[in-house]
Amino acid sequence: MLSKEQVQFYEENGYLHLKRVLSHEELAALQAATDRLIKFSTTLQVPQADYGYKKNLATGKQVLGRINYLTKRGVEFQALYGHPQLLDATASLLGDDFVMGDEAMVVKMPEFGAAVPWHRDLPSPLMTRATDALAVIGLDLDKSTIDNGCVYVIPGSHKWGEVDIQELVMEHGFNLPNALPMESEPGDMVIHSANCLHASKLSRANTLRRTIYFGAYNIDRYISDYKATPAHVKIQRQYLLRGIQLRQQMRYANGEQPFQLKGSPAWQVDLDENDHVEWAMPQSHPHRH
Ligand SMILES: O=C(O)CCC(=O)C(=O)O
């Protein structure tokens, strides 16, 4: 579990940086799997909404910036749904009744990585505490620096309530007061609350920056604020269970203590051998971060 101090830090600041969460072996496997995806989707521009490209105005070329729904694209990504430290941190922040979804990779290619403007991920007007509803979890696969377009957060901004982000940007440009760069090492995990303002700059560096994101929701708030259906929640609980099971077959999870999925009886799900979990989000999914 996270320590009381870590949870308190997250409550107060709206983000939390955990170092070296991925082992070297798992990191290498994820780097190789994402290398393959990047090779595939930069050789040709994939004409699907899950693959996001941004135009490099200097060259006129479309450059890969994002790939959604990674679990459809490799067992390494499915096994992350069972990562004990990731799930443990989530349970510490959101309680045992949680689900995860929306896994995606944000990528900043060498020479051109598009900026991500200041925003909140699915802001909830009802939300007053960082731990209330949605935590966005980023796993860094590369060294993430100011130079190659790391994420910036504004500590405490999750408590601001309604705010006109456009107006702030008009006044200050990218450099909003108290903006803090989240420089990180490969394998680090940075969690931010949905209401915490964050952004990243255009990168012209010659290094690659990849971050795998998950959205983790407290189930009650997922249903009340984000209108998820109970059926949907159950499917996502099955993803967790499948991820935990599947992870035990991965070489790099050898000797690892599997995460124990707890929670209210209403959200307990089973997987028997014949169950087949589709690793694709149901249509009713309310949001992408
Ligand atoms: O990783 C980044 O550069 C920011 C990504 C982000 O905030 C988003 O996709 O909503």
Side-chain angles (χ1 to χ4, degrees):
M1 295 297 275
L2 293 180
S3 69
K4 222 169 83 193
E5 290 73 27
Q6 286 172 313
V7 175
Q8 210 170 357
F9 182 93
Y10 183 77
E11 278 275 0
E12 274 167 32
N13 295 283
Y15 77 93
L16 186 67
H17 186 165
L18 300 175
K19 313 242 167 168
R20 310 279 157 116
V21 168
L22 298 173
S23 67
H24 286 302
E25 217 186 344
E26 182 162 18
L27 178 63
L30 288 165
Q31 286 169 335
T34 50
D35 279 348
R36 283 195 298 276
L37 282 179
I38 289 174
K39 189 159 181 208
F40 159 73
S41 50
T42 51
T43 308
L44 278 180
Q45 190 175 328
V46 184
Q48 280 177 19
D50 284 351
Y51 293 79
Y53 297 84
K54 288 272 166 65
K55 194 169 183 176
N56 178 352
L57 293 176
T59 62
K61 292 213 170 93
Q62 294 287 346
V63 181
L64 181 71
R66 182 179 182 108
I67 303 178
N68 293 332
Y69 300 131
L70 295 176
T71 46
K72 287 200 263 180
R73 310 179 206 289
V75 73
E76 299 84 352
F77 306 117
Q78 298 171 4
L80 275 179
Y81 267 76
H83 193 290
Q85 207 181 333
L86 192 157
L87 300 182
D88 197 70
T90 305
S92 297
L93 297 177
L94 301 180
D96 288 331
D97 285 346
F98 71 87
V99 289
M100 295 205 317
D102 280 348
E103 73 289 344
M105 173 173 66
V106 167
V107 52
K108 296 207 178 184
M109 297 296 290
E111 319 295 347
F112 181 79
V116 178
W118 284 103
H119 67 287
R120 285 169 156 159
D121 294 316
L122 190 59
S124 161
L126 305 174
M127 193 162 141
T128 51
R129 299 163 57 225
T131 48
D132 266 351
L134 163 61
V136 177
I137 303 169
L139 291 163
D140 285 299
L141 302 190
D142 304 289
K143 196 171 170 68
S144 183
T145 64
I146 291 176
D147 195 42
N148 73 4
C150 72
V151 175
Y152 285 66
V153 297
I154 303 191
S157 57
H158 60 294
K159 296 185 194 161
W160 287 357
E162 292 278 320
V163 58
D164 189 337
I165 299 175
Q166 296 282 46
E167 203 168 283
L168 283 176
V169 172
M170 293 270 276
E171 192 180 341
H172 302 280
F174 183 90
N175 298 316
L176 300 191
N178 302 320
L180 187 70
M182 292 279 97
E183 292 193 299
S184 49
E185 294 295 321
D188 283 7
M189 181 162 102
V190 178
I191 309 175
H192 68 261
S193 149
N195 266 16
C196 183
L197 257 70
H198 60 286
S200 65
K201 287 185 188 172
L202 170 78
S203 166
R204 296 263 184 220
N206 58 10
T207 52
L208 177 67
R209 198 206 119 208
R210 288 164 290 187
T211 305
I212 295 179
Y213 284 104
F214 289 89
Y217 298 82
N218 166 277
I219 293 177
D220 285 347
R221 301 299 294 263
Y222 194 34
I223 291 174
S224 64
D225 297 14
Y226 301 131
K227 311 297 172 220
T229 62
H232 188 112
V233 168
K234 287 209 163 155
I235 291 172
Q236 282 182 279
R237 290 289 278 183
Q238 282 186 312
Y239 287 0
L240 292 173
L241 214 51
R242 172 66 87 218
I244 292 164
Q245 276 188 4
L246 188 143
R247 188 172 178 85
Q248 289 167 49
Q249 295 165 38
M250 305 301 280
R251 207 186 44 225
Y252 49 72
N254 248 345
E256 193 178 85
Q257 190 67 28
F259 181 79
Q260 294 298 321
L261 194 59
K262 302 190 201 107
S264 313
W267 305 123
Q268 248 149 50
V269 289
D270 288 321
L271 282 181
D272 69 36
E273 274 170 35
N274 302 319
D275 275 342
H276 174 65
V277 175
E278 278 289 346
W279 288 96
M281 285 290 158
Q283 289 298 310
S284 65
H285 198 59
H287 169 70
R288 301 210 50 78
H289 52 82

